[in-house]
């Protein structure tokens, strides 16, 4: 039995471990799209630490190979495979799926974002955001779901955003694509009803990913220590957040690991929030 390094276990009051609450994905194959950096990389690492065989995906074979090597060097017990390919292209998606084989856990994490004034968003940009953020996920679900249903177990997780609900005025095309992803998740959950397969979306809030520190220091005093700087940024520029700090990718990954596990068997068709209370609503 391989060692586990997951942060997703709970302890009993006596200091022991409750085996019923232990996340164990050994024997499951997971594909995490866009997993060479940021949230996707954190998700891939966490799923591997709970025993899953995880496919690392990105467009560049060299980058994918480098990330696989880095993740394996962090924990020699991780079972990782390289699955390079552009999943926004049908042929690329087929190549990625062929590298993985049967997919038990599909995490559609790939996404693009950027700010553009509302009236300047062209038809081509609207289509590009839909193709990358929505249609690529649909394509992979359409290919993976039949096998999951036949085996009587599977997990589909679509990484959405608080922007799906709180549409940002400066990037409504991005918000639109993430709102569409919520509808995709709910619809495919109905398709999988009663089969042992669950389909959910994860509403990720403002997250500490690459480039964010530079962005924060553009808006607050660059002499502040990072912890103080991010709290100042959140207070001034993201005041809706109840967490009042940026979310770490690993915090989102922990929720994904739970939803990917047998423990979440009764959660499907849901939009689960990991937003630090950013979305001002008492309804999930």
């Amino acid at each position: 039995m391989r060692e586990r390094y997951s942060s997703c276990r709970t302890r009993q009051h006596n200091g022991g471990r409750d085996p019923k609450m232990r996340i164990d994905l050994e024997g499951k194959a997971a594909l995490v799209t866009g997993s060479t950096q940021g949230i996707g990389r954190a998700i891939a690492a966490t799923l591997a630490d709970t025993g899953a065989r995880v496919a690392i995906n990105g467009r560049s074979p060299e980058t994918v190979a480098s990330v696989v090597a880095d993740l394996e060097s962090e924990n020699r017990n991780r079972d990782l495979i390289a699955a390079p390919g552009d999943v926004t292209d049908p042929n690329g998606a087929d190549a990625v799926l062929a590298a993985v084989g049967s997919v038990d856990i599909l995490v559609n994490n790939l996404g693009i974002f950027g700010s553009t004034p509302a009236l300047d968003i062209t038809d081509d940009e609207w289509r590009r955001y839909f193709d990358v953020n929505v249609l690529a996920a649909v394509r992979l679900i359409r290919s993976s779901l039949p096998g999951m249903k036949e085996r009587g177990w599977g997990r589909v997780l679509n990484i959405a955003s608080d922007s799906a609900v709180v549409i940002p005025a400066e990037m409504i095309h991005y918000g639109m694509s993430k709102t569409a992803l919520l509808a995709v998740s709910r619809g495919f959950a109905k398709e999988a009803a009663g089969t042992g397969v669950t389909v959910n979306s994860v509403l990720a809030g403002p997250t500490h990913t690459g480039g964010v520190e530079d962005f924060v220091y553009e808006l607050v005093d660059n002499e502040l220590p990072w912890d103080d700087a991010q709290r100042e940024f959140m207070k001034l520029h993201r005041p809706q957040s109840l967490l009042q700090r940026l979310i770490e990718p690993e915090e989102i990954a922990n929720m994904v690991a739970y939803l990917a596990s047998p423990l979440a068997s009764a959660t499907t068709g849901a939009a689960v929030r990991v937003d630090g209370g950013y979305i001002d609503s008492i309804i999930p």
Side-chain angles (χ1 to χ4, degrees):
M1 179 69 69
R2 294 178 302 184
E3 296 174 64
R4 300 281 183 263
Y5 294 82
S6 174
S7 58
C8 306
R9 295 172 173 176
T10 59
R11 291 180 179 272
Q12 295 174 309
H13 292 300
N14 63 5
R17 299 189 181 198
D18 181 353
K20 293 181 180 179
M21 291 300 293
R22 179 169 171 266
I23 294 179
D24 188 347
L25 294 173
E26 189 162 2
K28 304 300 184 185
L31 168 61
V32 184
T33 64
S35 46
T36 59
Q37 61 183 339
I39 293 172
R41 178 172 173 153
I43 291 171
T46 300
L47 291 179
D49 288 345
T50 59
R53 177 174 179 260
V54 181
I56 304 299
N57 167 253
R59 287 181 296 178
S60 165
E62 294 76 19
T63 300
V64 169
S66 176
V67 171
V68 168
D70 288 346
L71 291 175
E72 288 178 339
S73 70
E74 294 171 7
N75 178 353
R76 60 183 175 81
N77 293 296
R78 288 172 174 161
D79 187 0
L80 304 170
I81 62 171
D86 182 0
V87 296
T88 68
D89 174 77
N91 293 329
D94 288 344
V96 169
L97 290 169
V100 183
S102 296
V103 176
D104 300 302
I105 301 165
L106 172 62
V107 183
N108 284 309
N109 168 76
L110 176 68
I112 56 173
F113 70 94
S115 60
T116 306
L119 298 179
D120 293 340
I121 306 170
T122 65
D123 288 358
D124 285 344
E125 278 295 274
W126 281 106
R127 292 189 187 97
R128 186 167 77 95
Y129 271 75
F130 183 83
D131 284 347
V132 175
N133 293 358
V134 184
L135 187 54
V138 169
R139 183 179 295 116
L140 291 173
I141 296 170
R142 195 171 57 218
S143 296
S144 302
L145 190 56
M148 294 180 184
K149 291 170 63 177
E150 183 178 344
R151 293 188 296 274
W153 196 95
R155 299 288 185 264
V156 176
L157 292 159
N158 297 316
I159 306 304
S161 164
D162 57 82
S163 294
V165 180
V166 186
I167 304 295
E170 73 279 7
M171 48 182 184
I172 62 173
H173 52 336
Y174 172 74
M176 172 279 302
S177 70
K178 293 301 183 177
T179 305
L181 206 54
L182 302 188
V184 166
S185 301
R186 182 68 183 180
F188 276 109
K190 293 180 178 180
E191 169 63 26
T195 66
V197 179
T198 66
V199 184
N200 293 289
S201 52
V202 175
L203 293 167
T207 305
H208 183 190
T209 56
V212 167
E213 291 191 20
D214 290 340
F215 175 68
V216 167
Y217 278 122
E218 288 176 5
L219 299 174
V220 302
D221 184 356
N222 60 14
E223 298 297 323
L224 288 173
W226 169 246
D227 285 346
D228 294 336
Q230 68 166 315
R231 291 183 186 279
E232 183 71 5
F233 166 78
M234 296 298 288
K235 179 180 177 180
L236 295 176
H237 300 282
R238 299 291 188 273
Q240 306 99 306
S241 170
L242 303 182
L243 197 62
Q244 281 297 294
R245 64 167 174 81
L246 292 169
I247 299 164
E248 294 299 325
E250 291 75 17
E251 294 176 299
I252 296 169
N254 286 341
M255 178 61 80
V256 171
Y258 165 71
L259 291 171
S261 78
L263 299 179
S265 56
T267 303
T268 190
V272 181
R273 289 162 54 179
V274 191
D275 68 332
Y278 182 83
I279 299 171
D280 192 9
S281 172
I282 62 172
I283 302 173

